[in-house]
Amino acid sequence: MSQPLQIALIPLLPLACFLVLGLFGRKHLSSSAGVIGTLSLLVSTLLSLQTAYQYFFVSGKVNGVFQKLVVFQYNWLEFAPDLSINIGLMIDPITVMMLVVVSFVSLMVHLFSLGYMKGEERFATYFAFLSLFTFSMLGLVLSSNIFQIYLFWELVGVSSFLLIGFYFEKPSAVAAAKKAFIVTRFADLGFLIGILTLAFYTKTLDFGLLIERLSTASTYLSDINAASFLGISALSWGLVLVFIGGAGKSAMFPLHIWLPDAMEGPTPVSALIHAATMVVAGVFLVARLFPVFALSDPEALKLVMYTGAFSAFFAAVIACTQTDIKRVLAYSTMSQIGYMMFALGVSKYGGEDGLGYMASMFHLFTHAFFKSLLFLGAGAVIHMVHSNEMKDMGGLRKMMPITHLSFLIACLAIAGVPPFSGFFSKEEILMAAFESNRLIYGVALLTSGLTAFYMFRLYYNIFWSKPADVDGHHHGEGTLAMKIPLILLAVLAVVAGFAPIAQWVTPDGLPIESHVPITFSILPVSLAMGGILLATRMFKTQTELPTQIAQQMGGIYKAAYHKFYIDEVYLFVTKKILFNLIGKPAAWIDKNIVDGLMNLLGKITAKLSELIKGIQSGKVQDYALYFFGGIAGLVLVFIYLWK
Amino acid sequence: MTNIPLTNILFLSTALFFIGAYGLFTRRNMITMLMSVELMLNSVNINFVAFNKYLYPDKLGGVFFSIFIITIAAAEAAVAIAIIINLYRSHHSIDVEDASEMKY
């Protein structure tokens, strides 16, 4: 099979699957929809792995440097000879890595859903939506052009909306879907303006050209630097606005409010969209434009760094207090994505300085596996106890041995305990932070301790804590289809750290020799161990200790429990300020002035017709009289006036 | 015959025309209205014949016109009576006041 066709098939198979299941699923394929979806994605995954193998081992390197290869380009909309929107496929190291991650995690989620969603009335619709999402995400990472990425970006948003609101009979799910859509859409407005700004000055939408023109000295670069608005150069505006789009999708503070609510969707969906794939789209976007950020505008990159570091810490604090297990995982996701963001932020371009970039991509890679594993494990638990709340769980380790073991592995991985995968990527991130910014390093270290604590708080609350009070014989741990993904992902959560990402995924395509000295690892690992021990002491058996500590913490605990009132602030700003200051006056103008003008015109017409409609009396003789009068009038005119 | 002045005849035809017009506007019965219209037509006929006789005695144009009008009046009476019959069938009345649905 030729390479372009092979790569094009990776996103097109899920698209075909979406069309088939969407059109015929409910009537004709209601029972086989899951198998069709899973099989088509299996083929996609195999093709992705084949592509990765070819790229990394056979054809990707030219002179020892990984190249950006545009394997397919179609001129779609031509505005001017030098400005057109193309549809193309581009592969480079991050794309190939994302292809593997997205298709594999999606495959696992499809497989898990076969068991989890069994008996659901809209089973086929669910798989159609999953396929749509997978198509959009794969298309997003393959985009060769910044406008194309925007199209897929929105498609991803729509499919996420559909999946979050899958249980649309639940008002909370509808609200969550709406919230996710509006918040990310709001951020995408920034993204669009950013795209237009960058494209306006560089006269291209193509990634390769755009990056080349903005990262090396050129007339384009001096033009965009010279133009400024409010004292900030157009380049910074463009990059910051693009980053806002990325921050919206990646749930960075303060645009994170949709992510915890998005947990209303089916749990496998959370594993796919809100853990492993869609939420890292923002990281992917910054990584895609990384040369521009790093070489031309380090200030914008600083913003990325601070936003990421703050979000990482902020979310970790909230995660320690939540009681809904999926919300804990949601905040944990936000925190880990914060890690990836600030890792990009501390990185520089070229050679060994690209460590942060590499570490970020490495963490994205390992995080996808252990976080989707955590979500799928949580899904299995929820499937069993029919509740998301910690208080309904406890003591499940004997009833669900496989879930228990895989969940434990994922917790160890995310906590950064060697030799699990999270350890390696986190060490690289900490190393990169340590080398460039000590403040960020401190925050990262603290966050890593908190991560270990809240993950094990979750683990003990689900699997230990108190004797189980659920009827385990009811339906047991779940079907084989639910166990296989857990096992496969657990294996990957252990071994993914050994993948030689440093050799493959770097900003400039050259391999990095990364070596984290063992002495450097002592502090983070002991902090993680400390967090785990603290959680063990507090939550392994049910005691009064957590409540006492919570009471002693007082205001801080309460504020964290209420997510630092960010939602309330948003509500205040939107409902009280925006609604009263803009919405109400606008409504008044619309109701009274715009509508009033139209009503006035209507009333005048009605009054006039009221006045003269009596003429149309319907009586023949009246008409004859008018006719006669008219003739008489004409006669008078002809006699006296015409002459 | 020749010593009757033209004005007398015109006076007659004008009187006839306005009597017809008055009947047309005041009577509610459609048959009567039809009769009034006939009166008006005949007043016009008188005019034609009189003018022909007094102004162009050696031509026949006015007389032909009156014959035309008489023919057309016959056809018009047939149409009008057909309308009246139809109206009677649908409204059970030939009073024009009763047929005033076609209004605003």
Side-chain angles (χ1 to χ4, degrees):
Chain A
M1 205 186 310
S2 70
Q3 202 195 14
L5 181 64
Q6 177 191 336
I7 294 169
L9 271 180
I10 297 173
L12 288 181
L13 277 173
L15 176 65
C17 186
F18 162 67
L19 290 177
V20 170
L21 292 184
L23 290 174
F24 311 113
R26 282 190 83 169
K27 282 211 175 117
H28 309 293
L29 304 167
S30 52
S31 52
S32 54
V35 180
I36 294 173
T38 312
L39 282 180
S40 85
L41 209 63
L42 180 67
V43 178
S44 271
T45 310
L46 293 177
L47 287 175
S48 300
L49 287 171
Q50 162 74 4
T51 307
Y53 171 78
Q54 270 195 344
Y55 184 78
F56 284 131
F57 294 105
V58 184
S59 62
K61 263 189 191 173
V62 176
N63 298 330
V65 179
F66 282 114
Q67 302 291 313
K68 275 194 173 67
L69 302 175
V70 177
V71 293
F72 171 76
Q73 184 92 291
Y74 169 69
N75 194 325
W76 183 43
L77 288 176
E78 190 172 315
F79 299 123
D82 58 347
L83 185 66
S84 61
I85 296 181
N86 298 338
I87 293 293
L89 298 171
M90 181 173 79
I91 55 170
D92 70 347
I94 49 173
T95 296
V96 174
M97 188 192 83
M98 287 293 286
L99 277 184
V100 173
V101 168
V102 172
S103 56
F104 183 77
V105 172
S106 183
L107 176 64
M108 291 298 108
V109 167
H110 271 78
L111 206 54
F112 188 84
S113 302
L114 283 179
Y116 188 87
M117 299 300 280
K118 204 175 193 172
E120 193 71 35
E121 195 189 331
R122 292 159 64 234
F123 190 68
T125 316
Y126 172 81
F127 276 93
F129 288 168
L130 271 191
S131 297
L132 175 66
F133 173 78
T134 313
F135 157 69
S136 332
M137 195 66 209
L138 291 169
L140 191 151
V141 298
L142 280 168
S143 296
S144 71
N145 143 335
I146 197 164
F147 206 84
Q148 190 189 350
I149 215 173
Y150 183 74
L151 294 182
F152 283 106
W153 190 268
E154 294 299 338
L155 262 181
V156 164
V158 170
S159 39
S160 157
F161 168 81
L162 291 172
L163 283 166
I164 296 170
F166 184 73
Y167 297 125
F168 58 76
E169 312 87 3
K170 264 201 312 191
S172 58
V174 175
K178 249 186 343 198
K179 188 172 179 182
F181 193 72
I182 292 171
V183 173
T184 52
R185 197 62 205 68
F186 175 73
D188 293 347
L189 178 67
F191 186 20
L192 182 61
I193 301 173
I195 290 175
L196 296 178
T197 312
L198 294 181
F200 178 76
Y201 285 102
T202 56
K203 309 276 182 276
T204 180
L205 289 163
D206 186 75
F207 269 126
L209 271 177
L210 185 88
I211 291 169
E212 188 194 309
R213 286 178 183 176
L214 285 181
S215 58
T216 51
S218 65
T219 51
Y220 299 106
L221 185 60
S222 50
D223 275 356
I224 195 170
N225 268 325
S228 74
F229 178 66
L230 296 179
I232 298 168
S233 79
L235 177 64
S236 298
W237 274 113
L239 289 178
V240 167
L241 285 168
V242 168
F243 172 64
I244 287 176
K249 273 273 186 294
S250 285
M252 290 290 98
F253 180 86
L255 296 168
H256 65 277
I257 51 163
W258 64 271
L259 185 60
D261 289 23
M263 297 301 137
E264 289 291 342
T267 309
V269 165
S270 309
L272 176 61
I273 300 184
H274 308 116
T277 55
M278 186 185 87
V279 286
V280 296
V283 180
F284 176 81
L285 185 66
V286 177
R288 174 59 87 217
L289 292 173
F290 186 73
V292 185
F293 273 99
L295 292 174
S296 304
D297 199 355
E299 293 303 311
L301 202 55
K302 279 227 170 73
L303 178 77
V304 176
M305 172 175 84
Y306 286 118
T307 313
F310 182 74
S311 303
F313 180 70
F314 178 81
V317 173
I318 297 179
C320 292
T321 61
Q322 297 301 303
T323 56
D324 179 327
I325 60 170
K326 284 181 76 184
R327 274 174 193 260
V328 174
L329 291 176
Y331 280 108
S332 150
T333 304
M334 178 182 160
S335 174
Q336 299 302 310
I337 292 166
Y339 258 92
M340 298 170 205
M341 279 289 184
F342 79 69
L344 283 175
V346 297
S347 178
K348 292 186 193 63
Y349 187 82
E352 298 294 305
D353 292 335
L355 178 66
Y357 176 95
M358 186 285 284
S360 172
M361 292 299 111
F362 192 12
H363 199 56
L364 194 162
F365 182 71
T366 56
H367 173 259
F369 298 124
F370 59 69
K371 185 50 69 66
S372 51
L373 173 57
L374 283 170
F375 267 105
L376 292 184
V381 170
I382 292 168
H383 196 60
M384 174 107 167
V385 299
H386 297 292
S387 164
N388 284 10
E389 285 296 319
M390 280 182 186
K391 63 174 169 21
D392 301 325
M393 298 166 188
L396 294 175
R397 65 186 182 284
K398 294 252 171 60
M399 284 176 172
M400 344 180 57
I402 293 175
T403 313
H404 168 236
L405 199 65
S406 56
F407 204 87
L408 178 62
I409 290 172
C411 283
L412 288 169
I414 193 175
V417 174
F420 297 97
S421 59
F423 164 74
F424 296 97
S425 52
K426 211 174 256 186
E427 289 310 293
E428 304 278 10
I429 290 184
L430 289 171
M431 190 73 202
F434 182 76
E435 279 174 358
S436 84
N437 190 326
R438 293 293 157 91
L439 171 71
I440 299 294
Y441 173 69
V443 172
L445 212 53
L446 199 59
T447 309
S448 120
L450 279 174
T451 307
F453 172 74
Y454 69 69
M455 284 320 300
F456 276 84
R457 169 176 175 266
L458 182 68
Y459 165 73
Y460 284 120
N461 266 314
I462 296 176
F463 294 105
W464 296 74
S465 178
K466 56 190 176 213
D469 61 348
V470 265
D471 179 15
H473 303 291
H474 178 42
H475 47 200
E477 202 179 349
T479 59
L480 191 63
M482 286 167 76
K483 283 177 191 156
I484 292 172
L486 292 179
I487 296 168
L488 280 175
L489 283 169
V491 171
L492 276 169
V494 177
V495 302
F498 297 105
I501 298 287
Q503 304 294 315
W504 294 340
V505 185
T506 55
D508 51 2
L510 287 165
I512 291 179
E513 284 306 317
S514 74
H515 35 73
V516 179
I518 204 124
T519 44
F520 181 80
S521 306
I522 291 174
L523 188 58
V525 171
S526 52
L527 258 175
M529 284 301 180
I532 295 173
L533 285 179
L534 187 64
T536 313
R537 168 95 181 75
M538 281 169 73
F539 300 107
K540 186 170 179 190
T541 50
Q542 208 175 17
T543 56
E544 290 300 304
L545 197 62
T547 12
Q548 280 169 11
I549 292 177
Q551 269 167 4
Q552 274 168 13
M553 302 263 279
I556 300 176
Y557 179 83
K558 227 179 130 200
Y561 182 75
H562 289 107
K563 307 148 204 162
F564 291 106
Y565 302 102
I566 300 290
D567 276 314
E568 282 76 5
V569 169
Y570 266 94
L571 275 186
F572 178 77
V573 170
T574 52
K575 279 220 168 120
K576 292 269 153 56
I577 298 178
L578 286 181
F579 186 70
N580 280 339
L581 289 187
I582 299 174
K584 274 193 178 168
W588 185 87
I589 287 176
D590 185 50
K591 219 179 266 169
N592 290 304
I593 296 184
V594 179
D595 286 5
L597 202 68
M598 289 302 130
N599 285 343
L600 187 70
L601 280 177
K603 265 185 192 143
I604 290 173
T605 316
K607 274 265 145 41
L608 270 178
S609 79
E610 196 73 38
L611 275 176
I612 56 171
K613 75 178 180 186
I615 295 171
Q616 302 279 335
S617 63
K619 290 178 184 151
V620 175
Q621 286 168 324
D622 288 0
Y623 298 150
L625 199 57
Y626 307 143
F627 179 71
F628 188 77
I631 296 287
L634 276 179
V635 166
L636 288 178
V637 168
F638 279 126
I639 292 174
Y640 294 106
L641 299 175
W642 202 263
K643 302 281 180 199
Chain B
M1 198 71 182
T2 43
N3 46 8
I4 300 174
L6 178 61
T7 45
N8 286 15
I9 296 172
L10 288 184
F11 187 80
L12 171 73
S13 75
T14 312
L16 205 56
F17 181 85
F18 281 99
I19 291 167
Y22 178 78
L24 180 68
F25 296 136
T26 53
R27 307 313 296 255
R28 303 288 180 242
N29 188 311
M30 286 200 70
I31 303 281
T32 332
M33 283 169 70
L34 182 61
M35 286 156 68
S36 309
V37 173
E38 295 297 331
L39 277 187
M40 289 161 81
L41 283 171
N42 283 330
S43 84
V44 175
N45 282 346
I46 291 171
N47 266 9
F48 272 117
V49 174
F51 280 126
N52 192 9
K53 174 83 182 162
Y54 283 86
L55 298 183
Y56 307 101
D58 47 348
K59 288 183 180 163
L60 286 173
V63 180
F64 283 145
F65 250 103
S66 347
I67 291 172
F68 252 122
I69 290 173
I70 291 166
T71 322
I72 292 193
E76 178 237 298
V79 172
I81 289 171
I83 290 174
I84 293 169
I85 290 171
N86 264 325
L87 187 75
Y88 183 76
R89 283 186 181 157
S90 62
H91 287 72
H92 298 289
S93 150
I94 50 168
D95 194 327
V96 282
E97 297 271 276
D98 292 341
S100 58
E101 291 94 339
M102 299 290 282
K103 61 180 176 185
Y104 47 85

